[in-house]
Every structure is written in structure tokens, then in C-alpha cells.
Amino acid sequence: MPALVTIDRLRFLLNQLHERLWVRPLAVCLLSIAAAFFASLADGTAIIHWVPPISTDSVETLLSIMASSMLVIATFSVSSMISAYNSASNSATPRAFRLMVADDVSQNALSTFVGAFIFSVVALAALKNGFYDKAGIFILFALTVLVFGLVITIFVRWVDKIARLGRLGSTIEKVELATAAALERRRIFPTLCGIPTSVDASKGHPVFANEIGYVQHIDMSAIQAWADKMNAHVEVAALPGTFAAPNRVLAYVHKLSASALEHDHCIAEAFQIGRERLYADDPRFGLVVLSEIAGRALSPAVNDPGTAITITGALVRLIALWNKPLTDAEQQKSKTLFPRVAVPELTIRDLYDDAFTAIARDGAGILEVSVRLQKALQSLSLLGAAENREAARYHSQRALIRSEHALLHADDVQIIKDSIKPT
């Protein structure tokens, strides 16, 4: 089995765990318990003869201070994180919640505080019961000082981070980074390491979804292994982000023998289906979320055209990234690993529809938003292949028509037209 397959599947599973707030604190708690008992291992070694004596009372004092304060700080950090999450959901979009929960700084801070609390409680109980000798007490003292310094460092860094975590600008930046990572991955592997679609899908045997939800991930290695076993060819019909239902075709199977029809459920099982769309394998979802944030900012209740202009700039960067030519190293990585699985590529028209339709619609009556949108599309029309240039010009024309109907003054419409430079 190709190595990349296992890495890709592992990446998906690790992303799922990364969004669980309990995983990292649990790991740190287990590490803290192990560290508390690790100190006793020094008592049976030669280190006991040259370590300086440490007062048991001093270690107890440090551990007591840490035990009494860390639980309070951990509780405070959780309440602050929840407030930041609610702020992000209310000011931006609830679809950004997963990215906020997966914030590394916040997870590291919570894990450190909880881990320090567990370490201090376990070490204090062991120390009170005479579990450590001279060397063990010294190692425990060193570990306690190390944990104490780590807590202070993490707390100072976390306070600076939590002040920005729930802000709209921070949310936009996280969504843009997640979308850029997904676009970069799909740019290098446009067919998910399969082959481009070329056969008539309607002539194949359809495989329907057995669950209701969004396609989150496609296990290409499982489909390839099944196709090899059955001597068949599979054409994927539902990319990540597609809404699946019992009547939705996930894939078409070609050259499938009649005796193997009863095993086509293996194809459906290769499609990970969940209740929500995910950023990692669905680049269009990130564009939709950014567009959704801009649409909320342009609503009469918020009336924040500056946010829409900021997001327009982010969308230009993302579309420009998509049009960036592959380097030699990226072309070496972009190899066909699944010759029996055909996967359709993302179309640039779909990316433009996801990115700019809502901004053009909701910002049609706002002069500064319309002008910035036209300049953004004008910049994008100079990049990439003919399909990209055509999509940029098409959305520029649609946005201009919307502005002509929404703006009340002819002078404003003329300003927008003047911002459109011929190419």
C-alpha cells in the first residue's frame, strides 16, 4: 500500500482528535502522573551521593501553592475560552467554532494548568507518605520548579492570546489559514492521487449513500484495494463537502462483475459522512465560511463594510494561491497512486461562486464594498489560465449589474465602472 495513503488517513484522524478539547489535557495528565513517580527512580541510583539535600518543607510549600492555584486558573481558563468561543460564533459565524476549539495556544494552556494541578496533587500525596528519599526529593524539587516556570510562561502567553481569540479579525485569520491549507493540498493533489474523470459515469453501476450528512473524507486506499480485488474501476461522484442522502450517488463502478455487485457496500463505507462539513478536505467550505462572515457584516443589523473589504482581500489571496503553478518538488509529489479510482477536479467557477456571490449580493448597495470587489476581481482576472480569467470577468459583470440596480445615484455607479480597467 502506498505510504501517502496511510499518512493521509492518519492526517484525517489526527485532525478529528485535534478538535476534541479533552484529548490534550488527558495526555498531559497522564504525563504529569508519570513525572511524579519518575522522581522516585533516582533513589536507587548513584545520584543520591552527590545531589544537595532539599528541605521537604520547601517542596511541600511549592506543591501546595501549585495545587491550590492551578485548579482555579484552569477553571478561569475554561470560562474565558467559552466566552471567546461564544464571541466568535456571534460576531463571525458558528461554522468557525471548530477552528476556535482547535486553537493550539488555548489547548496547550488548559493542558498545562490541568497537568500542573494533577502533578502537584499526586506528588504532594506521595511526598507526605514518604515515597521519596534524598535523590527523589531533589528530582521532585527540580520538576516542580520546571513545571512552575512552564506554567508562568504559558499563562503569560495565553493571556495575550485569549484577548484576541474571540475577536473577529482572529477568527477571519484562522478560517483563511485553514482554507489555504486545504486549497494547497488540493492544488497539489487535484484528483486525490487518483486519475482524472474521463469515462461516462452514467454507464457505470451507481453506489448510493447509506447515511445522511456531508462527505468529510474519502478513503482512496480502501477504494483502490477493493477495485484491485474486483478488477473494477471506480469513479467518485461526491467530493468532500457534498451533501449525501440515500438517493445520492457517491460513486459509479465500471467493469464490475455480476457476482461482485453484493460487495459494493465497501465503496460506500470508504466515504466518511458526518453531520458537518470539515475544513481539512473541503476547500470550498472555507470559502463559504469567509463569504458567510462577510454577509453577516454587511447585514443592516451589523453594517460593517470594513470586514467585508478585509475578507475580499483574504479571498483574493486564496484564489491567487489556487492559481499558483506547481513547483518541481510539488510535481514530484503529485503522482497517481490510485489508477483505478477517478476523481473530478474542483472547478474554478465553483470556487468563485462560493467566494464572491454573497459579497456581490449583500454589498451591491455599498459603494466602497462594490469598488473593492471590482478591483479584487480585476486583479484575479490577470492570473492563471483562461478559465480563471473568464470566471473573474463573469463575476465582475454580475457584481456590476447588481450594483446598478442597488445604488440610487448614477455617480456611484460611474465610480464603480471607472474602477474596472480593461484587460
Side-chain angles (χ1 to χ4, degrees), residues 183 283-284 287-288 291 315-323 346-360 373-396 398:
L183 283 172
R284 295 182 60 182
L287 298 176
V288 170
S291 181
L315 293 172
V316 171
R317 289 190 291 270
L318 293 172
I319 299 296
L321 172 64
W322 178 259
N323 286 280
L346 293 178
T347 63
I348 191 65
R349 178 62 66 89
D350 288 338
L351 297 182
Y352 272 86
D353 290 343
D354 295 332
F356 298 111
T357 299
I359 298 177
L373 179 60
Q374 290 295 343
K375 290 183 178 180
L377 293 171
Q378 177 68 23
S379 299
L380 292 174
S381 67
L382 305 176
L383 301 176
E387 293 82 2
N388 175 77
R389 297 193 293 270
E390 179 61 28
R393 294 189 182 107
Y394 171 75
H395 276 269
S396 176
R398 289 186 61 188

Side-chain angles (χ1 to χ4, degrees), residues 35-45 47-48 51 54 59 127 131-144:
F37 288 100
F38 168 78
S40 64
L41 299 179
D43 289 326
T45 64
I47 193 177
I48 194 173
V51 295
I54 301 295
V59 180
L127 187 64
F131 190 71
Y132 303 105
D133 204 345
K134 177 184 176 183
I137 294 177
F138 174 80
I139 297 299
L140 181 63
F141 175 76
L143 288 175
T144 303

Side-chain angles (χ1 to χ4, degrees), residues 96-328:
F97 176 76
R98 283 181 172 271
L99 296 178
M100 308 305 294
V101 172
D103 179 71
D104 287 329
V105 176
S106 298
Q107 286 201 13
N108 289 338
L110 179 61
S111 303
T112 302
F113 301 151
V114 175
F117 172 74
I118 297 297
F119 169 79
S120 58
V121 170
V122 174
L124 188 60
L127 187 64
K128 287 283 190 179
N129 287 275
F131 190 71
Y132 303 105
D133 204 345
K134 177 184 176 183
I137 294 177
F138 174 80
I139 297 299
L140 181 63
F141 175 76
L143 288 175
T144 303
V145 172
L146 178 64
V147 171
F148 208 82
L150 181 63
V151 166
I152 295 176
T153 303
I154 293 293
F155 182 77
V156 171
R157 185 185 176 203
W158 175 77
V159 168
D160 178 74
K161 182 69 175 182
I162 200 67
R164 299 175 173 85
L165 184 60
R167 303 300 180 184
L168 184 58
S170 176
T171 304
I172 294 173
E173 181 182 3
K174 288 184 178 297
V175 176
E176 181 183 355
L177 291 175
T179 308
L183 283 172
E184 181 76 7
R185 192 176 303 113
R186 187 62 65 85
R187 185 179 68 90
I188 299 175
F189 308 108
T191 59
L192 304 179
C193 295
I195 61 175
T197 55
S198 59
V199 297
D200 186 3
S202 61
K203 295 181 180 179
H205 170 71
V207 177
F208 296 95
N210 51 23
E211 298 180 63
I212 298 177
Y214 293 96
V215 177
Q216 298 176 338
H217 178 74
I218 302 175
D219 191 346
M220 297 286 291
S221 62
I223 298 178
Q224 174 68 26
W226 183 89
D228 285 336
K229 181 179 179 181
M230 299 297 175
N231 192 26
H233 293 271
V234 180
E235 180 166 359
V236 173
L239 290 174
T242 302
F243 184 75
N247 61 344
R248 181 65 166 85
V249 177
L250 297 178
Y252 292 94
V253 183
H254 302 269
K255 301 180 181 180
L256 181 64
S257 62
S259 60
L261 287 176
E262 60 184 20
H263 300 289
D264 64 353
H265 64 277
C266 297
I267 300 295
E269 293 173 356
F271 288 78
Q272 177 74 33
I273 298 177
R275 294 179 177 271
E276 300 177 355
R277 297 174 70 174
L278 302 180
Y279 292 90
D281 292 340
D282 185 7
R284 295 182 60 182
F285 181 50
L287 298 176
V288 170
V289 172
L290 286 172
S291 181
E292 183 178 314
I293 297 174
R296 173 175 289 191
L298 292 172
S299 64
V302 179
N303 191 22
D304 181 18
T307 294
I309 292 174
T310 299
I311 290 179
T312 301
L315 293 172
V316 171
R317 289 190 291 270
L318 293 172
I319 299 296
L321 172 64
W322 178 259
N323 286 280
K324 183 180 177 182
L326 293 177
T327 63
D328 293 338

